[in-house]
Amino acid sequence: MIISQYDENAKTANLVIKGRFDYSCQQAFRDGFSRYPKGTDFIVDLKDVSYIDSSALGMLLLLRDHAGGDGATIELKGASDFVGSALKMARFERLFSFA
């Protein structure tokens, strides 16, 4: 499940992902971020993610492109040890900030 909210004060979109973050989430995830204009800052809450696969990593890269590529501000927060390990193996700390 993907929950998308916009914080007007912080001018930041929050994407909350619950359960498995895999190919089955692709359309919901894309719908969740594409409603915001290019250049929006994002926080992706991963605390309730129980599983992540390579398609989810690809979705995060699509989000990064949408948000502005190298100039994007995207924070991945709350990742479990399992999810955090997958992100670090993909060297995502070079592309995203972690909280």
Side-chain angles (χ1 to χ4, degrees):
M1 175 168 52
I2 311 290
I3 300 167
S4 176
Q5 302 169 325
Y6 190 72
D7 182 337
E8 189 66 43
N9 293 331
K11 304 289 187 212
T12 302
N14 295 292
L15 301 174
V16 179
I17 304 165
K18 296 181 181 247
R20 295 176 62 89
F21 190 21
D22 58 18
Y23 183 77
S24 67
C25 301
Q26 183 177 21
Q27 191 59 54
F29 187 74
R30 188 179 295 244
D31 291 345
F33 72 74
S34 64
R35 69 181 65 181
Y36 304 110
K38 292 190 182 291
T40 299
D41 293 342
F42 287 89
I43 296 173
V44 181
D45 187 336
L46 301 169
K47 79 172 184 242
D48 293 324
V49 172
S50 59
Y51 174 82
I52 190 169
D53 69 4
S54 60
S55 63
L57 300 177
M59 288 183 260
L60 289 170
L61 293 174
L62 288 174
L63 168 62
R64 184 175 184 269
D65 287 344
H66 175 79
D70 289 341
T73 301
I74 302 172
E75 179 182 303
L76 306 179
K77 74 175 197 174
S80 67
D81 289 341
F82 172 76
V83 172
S85 293
L87 296 169
K88 287 180 179 138
M89 284 177 48
R91 313 240 5 222
F92 271 34
E93 72 275 2
R94 298 180 328 165
L95 305 173
F96 301 91
S97 64
F98 287 79

